[in-house]
Amino acid sequence: MNVDQLEERLDTILEAALSSRRTTSIPAQRLARLAPEQQEQLLKWLAVTANLNPELAFQCATRGPDLLAEADQQVMAQWFCSTLARYDQEGLRGTLDYLNGAGSSLPGALSDQGALTLAEERTSLEHFIMGLGGRHLTLEEGEAPATDSEVIILPARLHRFPRIEQNRLLYQSMAALQWAFGRFGSFPSTLAEKLLEHGDGEQAAACYNTLESCRLDALLTRLLPGLSRRGAALWSHTSKPWPPVWHAARMDLSRTEARAMDALCWLPKVLTSPPPEPLAHHGVLHWQRALETRTRRMEREKRLFRQAVGEVLQRQPDIVLPNGTVDPDRLRIDLPDNLVCQIRLDGQRLVLPEDMDVLSRSIVQDLGAIPLEYLQPAGPGGYPASGGAQALDANPWQGVYHEEGAMLFDEWDHKRNDYRKGWCVLRELSLPEDRTAFVEETNQKYGGLIHHIRRSFEMIRGSDRRVRRQERGDEPDLDALIEAQVTLRLGQEMENRLFERMDRVDRRVATLILADMSGSTKGWVNDAIRESLILLSRALVILDDRFAIYGFSGNTRKQCEFYRVKAFTDPMDAAAYRRIAAIAPKDYTRMGVFIRRAIDILKTQEARSRLLITISDGRPEDYDSFLDGYRGPYGLADTRKALVEARRAGIHPFGITIDREAKEYLPHLYGPARFVVIDSARALPRKISDIYRNLTT
């Protein structure tokens, strides 16, 4: 293309940034010097940039041709992606300052191509930490790796090594070490006392951090040999020899039986020697914050554990003594290898709520066992009707969207083939209770259907399976007895598995339901969604499945509102039904951010199957569609990417849509057999329970 042709193309792309004194004449002249394939590639990226910010696109058009004259398509794409990512994080002014500084030359602009950010690695690191086991941990950004045993702090950006794979390995090694600090007793109750024996404790804390890191490195070498081997090969070349006393301590703490108290015993010996240079993945010790977190957690978990056990023991009233304590001679606590608590009454195992698995693991991480006092009633004469789990969530988010309480989520830009980092601002809000008669009217309207749902779901709940040929059981297995007699008469050894028993079918389903609250649901659609949720909630209560309900709506990426109707920890009581009745049409449907928030919630649930059901009346859209095209391919691509993220997290998404045109785009979003289209909103309440039953049986 010649200058005139290029100027015409640039005028179309950069129209919003032009004026009578600012034209595309100079950018077109510079662009004309490039090869034809370079011209097309640069024009394509300028169009992508102009959709985001026309001024930024004009600046790139002015600088890009000279800067990228010798660049191939891959390098050009890297430069634009790096510039757009910086714009997402720092805005226009910060990006222009960067282009005037380090980004003014191609080597400077691409010097951080090996860098990796926590935002890019967050999802994979969360899965990695979840796979390690123990209590649920969250990730936060900070200057150096650290942990308080509930939060792992990692640097926002890593550029220590020249390649992305190397920095990714460094992130994983940092996360594994900080996970081990919380998992293997690095914060004993005597830690503060031991550290403060040596002045203000700061030097001692730094030395203890190095000693404990050595112990945990050796432990992780046994647990994660592949990760440890690759990490050691990477940063062993950069580490210097350790002083003799530190080397001796390191060898001693590498023993299999070494504990945190052994590291504390080495403190007086190593304090007189200069500390060694820390390895690349070592962090800092936030011991005061960790001990405070541990104290709060122990008080909270003791209360929750006693409440949960109390609900079980209410079926055993004879075990509670007159003084309100439990008869210790009749109870025993077992801790198998997976740290899941098992309580036995008179030798028989008590069936405990599934939520206690995670709770018992966390308690054992802190105390090494479940103390018998955790089985005592929470107060004189019995157990409290409501526990501390709800009290933890008593305070709603406060302030405006850019202040405390807001959650930032990435959003997929299909034009860039990359995420916009921290692009959507979401806040979780509570719905007020609707005091109208909607719930009662729904119960009366669907009285016959409710009776049918109850009967069909009770059959599912009560379904057991007969397990034959067991060493112990409820009754003899006649087939096994006959075969045993035949075997005995033939002079062979008789089989001892001669019993059968009935086992309850293991459901362990955790379901999160997302209800569309966009303005397009006004009228019959909104009524149908509310009626459906009421009927489905009644069915789930019968099944005793764990479930949560959230509504969603918003207005642009800066105001994404996630309405809590019923959390997993909330009871399905009259107040929850009134919150369902309060679901009302609001604004728009920026679907991807709400799916990602639902994924975060579901990942905390211990379940055999985790199901994400979305009830909507149409395709994703938002108010700012004219800026980023969320109503069209952009919104569909972002929603599809979020659903792919859900499946990678082990969550099964399913879409229920009231939209005759949905068959055109739902297969692209959910895939075959993962959605259903309801032709009429009035039919939804009668079908939703059957849909759920088919999904979970």
Side-chain angles (χ1 to χ4, degrees):
M1 287 179 284
N2 58 35
V3 174
D4 292 337
Q5 293 171 322
L6 289 170
E7 191 168 350
E8 183 178 351
R9 290 279 299 273
L10 288 172
D11 285 343
T12 303
I13 295 172
L14 305 174
E15 180 181 4
L18 302 179
S19 66
S20 59
R21 290 188 294 180
R22 175 189 272 187
T23 68
T24 58
S25 175
I26 294 178
Q29 294 174 18
R30 295 175 178 176
L31 192 57
R33 303 169 191 163
L34 302 183
E37 60 274 10
Q38 289 180 307
Q39 292 177 350
E40 287 294 344
Q41 180 80 352
L42 199 144
L43 287 171
K44 185 194 78 170
W45 277 107
L46 289 177
V48 171
T49 307
N51 286 332
L52 184 63
N53 189 292
E55 176 62 27
L56 179 61
F58 182 84
Q59 296 297 329
C60 291
T62 304
R63 307 160 191 264
D66 292 342
L67 193 64
L68 302 172
E70 303 299 327
D72 57 22
Q73 292 188 5
Q74 182 178 0
V75 172
M76 191 179 295
Q78 290 177 343
W79 183 79
F80 271 99
C81 285
S82 175
T83 302
L84 294 178
R86 188 173 295 272
Y87 173 79
D88 289 344
Q89 298 173 3
E90 301 180 12
L92 179 62
R93 175 52 55 194
T95 307
L96 295 182
D97 291 342
Y98 164 75
L99 292 176
N100 290 327
S104 60
S105 65
L106 192 60
L110 300 180
S111 63
D112 61 348
Q113 288 301 306
L116 204 59
T117 65
L118 182 59
E120 295 171 322
E121 288 298 293
R122 179 179 294 275
T123 300
S124 61
L125 285 174
E126 286 175 344
H127 293 167
F128 172 67
I129 295 169
M130 185 185 302
L132 294 176
R135 66 172 62 93
H136 175 71
L137 301 170
T138 59
L139 292 178
E140 288 184 1
E141 294 183 357
E143 294 183 2
T147 185
D148 66 356
S149 73
E150 290 185 358
V151 174
I152 290 181
I153 301 171
L154 296 175
R157 183 175 179 273
L158 285 182
H159 192 206
R160 176 149 188 168
F161 299 103
R163 291 163 47 198
I164 289 180
E165 296 79 9
Q166 295 172 322
N167 289 309
R168 180 174 292 116
L169 175 63
L170 181 56
Y171 258 137
Q172 293 173 350
S173 300
M174 288 176 172
L177 181 60
Q178 297 308 315
W179 165 81
F181 264 90
R183 175 64 180 82
F184 297 105
S186 298
F187 303 108
S189 56
T190 59
L191 180 59
E193 177 185 349
K194 296 290 185 181
L195 295 180
L196 293 176
E197 289 179 358
H198 310 281
D200 61 1
E202 291 305 316
Q203 182 184 359
C207 292
Y208 173 72
N209 178 54
T210 303
L211 293 169
E212 190 65 357
S213 296
C214 294
R215 181 181 77 89
L216 297 176
D217 277 341
L219 192 151
L220 290 173
T221 300
R222 297 187 288 270
L223 287 179
L224 306 171
L227 177 68
S228 301
R229 182 174 59 254
R230 289 185 293 124
L234 182 60
W235 44 72
S236 60
H237 305 293
T238 62
S239 58
K240 298 179 181 179
W242 284 31
V245 64
W246 281 96
H247 180 73
R250 187 178 186 179
M251 293 298 100
D252 180 65
L253 294 174
S254 299
R255 295 177 292 113
T256 304
E257 61 275 13
R259 297 294 182 267
M261 295 308 297
D262 298 313
L264 288 172
C265 290
W266 272 97
L267 265 182
K269 305 174 185 177
V270 301
L271 280 172
T272 57
S273 176
E277 180 181 347
L279 298 181
H281 66 301
H282 286 186
V284 297
L285 189 71
H286 291 173
W287 61 275
Q288 293 172 315
R289 174 177 167 180
L291 292 179
E292 292 171 358
T293 301
R294 180 179 185 269
T295 300
R296 290 195 302 268
R297 180 176 60 246
M298 290 173 58
E299 294 174 354
R300 179 179 72 244
E301 292 180 344
K302 179 179 180 179
R303 180 175 66 250
L304 295 177
F305 192 89
R306 292 170 70 184
Q307 176 193 344
V309 174
E311 295 172 358
V312 177
L313 296 183
Q314 283 177 354
R315 299 192 291 269
Q316 304 286 342
D318 59 319
I319 196 174
V320 181
L321 300 177
N323 62 357
T325 61
V326 173
D327 186 352
D329 296 330
R330 298 179 59 189
L331 285 174
R332 192 181 78 194
I333 304 175
D334 294 334
L335 286 171
D337 293 338
N338 60 0
L339 304 182
V340 177
C341 173
Q342 295 182 0
I343 301 177
R344 297 186 181 274
L345 171 62
D346 298 332
Q348 298 294 319
R349 181 181 174 184
L350 297 180
V351 179
L352 302 179
E354 295 173 359
D355 291 343
M356 290 185 64
D357 291 355
V358 178
L359 193 58
S360 64
R361 288 192 188 102
S362 182
I363 294 171
V364 174
Q365 282 184 223
D366 286 328
L367 301 177
I370 304 290
L372 190 60
E373 66 184 72
Y374 277 47
L375 302 182
Q376 302 303 324
Y383 297 85
S386 62
Q390 297 178 33
L392 297 177
D393 298 326
N395 294 326
W397 297 116
Q398 302 293 328
V400 296
Y401 268 77
H402 64 279
E403 293 179 348
E404 182 180 358
M407 291 175 275
L408 301 181
F409 286 87
D410 296 347
E411 186 171 87
W412 180 255
D413 186 339
H414 71 291
K415 297 177 182 177
R416 294 193 213 172
N417 197 34
D418 197 2
Y419 287 98
R420 292 182 172 183
K421 306 301 186 294
W423 189 246
C424 295
V425 186
L426 179 143
R427 295 183 74 85
E428 188 172 318
L429 309 172
S430 294
L431 271 180
E433 298 177 19
D434 187 327
R435 298 289 179 175
T436 66
F438 184 84
V439 177
E440 291 74 14
E441 292 171 356
T442 301
N443 293 334
Q444 294 175 5
K445 180 179 179 180
Y446 296 99
L449 181 59
I450 291 174
H451 179 67
H452 169 73
I453 292 173
R454 176 177 293 276
R455 284 192 305 166
S456 60
F457 276 69
E458 282 178 344
M459 293 175 62
I460 298 175
R461 182 190 64 181
S463 60
D464 294 338
R465 62 186 180 94
R466 188 179 299 277
V467 183
R468 301 181 181 275
R469 302 182 184 278
Q470 301 295 307
E471 293 184 2
R472 298 179 181 82
D474 304 320
E475 56 187 38
D477 185 338
L478 294 181
D479 292 340
L481 278 173
I482 293 172
E483 292 181 12
Q485 287 293 328
V486 173
T487 303
L488 189 62
R489 293 194 177 189
L490 291 174
Q492 301 175 7
E493 184 176 356
M494 185 178 70
E495 175 65 50
N496 64 344
R497 298 178 179 273
L498 306 177
F499 297 90
E500 63 182 26
R501 69 171 187 265
M502 299 297 293
D503 273 8
R504 176 63 54 88
V505 173
D506 180 16
R507 289 186 58 82
R508 285 197 297 160
V509 178
T511 302
L512 192 148
I513 305 166
L514 284 179
D516 187 356
M517 293 173 59
S518 62
S520 59
T521 63
K522 186 176 181 179
W524 276 104
V525 176
N526 178 252
D527 291 342
I529 290 176
R530 293 187 293 164
E531 292 172 352
S532 302
L533 292 176
I534 291 173
L535 298 181
L536 182 57
S537 297
R538 292 191 178 280
L540 294 174
V541 169
I542 295 170
L543 283 177
D544 200 25
D545 282 358
R546 284 180 292 144
F547 69 101
I549 302 173
Y550 289 86
F552 63 91
S553 181
N555 192 334
T556 76
R557 68 182 181 90
K558 297 183 179 180
Q559 190 174 343
C560 305
E561 295 179 338
F562 199 63
Y563 296 94
R564 171 176 167 169
V565 181
K566 179 197 175 299
F568 281 104
T569 55
D570 293 340
M572 194 62 218
D573 53 12
Y577 283 109
R578 288 194 292 268
R579 287 194 293 272
I580 292 177
I583 293 176
K586 293 186 180 297
D587 295 305
Y588 293 86
T589 316
R590 201 177 192 99
M591 189 83 76
V593 61
F594 301 114
I595 293 174
R596 292 183 177 94
R597 174 57 182 155
I599 292 171
D600 288 346
I601 296 174
L602 276 169
K603 285 194 299 188
T604 66
Q605 299 301 307
E606 291 284 336
R608 179 177 58 85
S609 298
R610 291 175 290 177
L611 185 63
L612 172 60
I613 299 177
T614 304
I615 305 176
S616 177
D617 74 325
R619 66 180 66 214
E621 63 176 1
D622 202 354
Y623 175 77
D624 55 358
S625 296
F626 67 92
L627 291 178
D628 57 20
Y630 203 92
R631 180 174 297 177
Y634 184 106
L636 292 175
D638 176 55
T639 303
R640 184 176 187 273
K641 190 70 172 181
L643 293 170
V644 170
E645 294 167 17
R647 287 191 284 272
R648 288 176 178 171
I651 296 167
H652 305 285
F654 190 85
I656 302 174
T657 301
I658 311 166
D659 181 8
R660 289 185 175 88
E661 299 178 357
K663 293 181 181 178
E664 300 177 3
Y665 59 85
L666 282 183
H668 176 69
L669 293 183
Y670 288 91
R674 291 187 176 133
F675 66 91
V676 64
V677 178
I678 307 295
D679 293 334
S680 170
R682 301 186 186 190
L684 179 60
R686 299 185 178 275
K687 293 185 177 182
I688 191 164
S689 296
D690 290 336
I691 293 170
Y692 182 81
R693 181 176 57 202
N694 293 333
L695 287 173
T696 59
T697 59

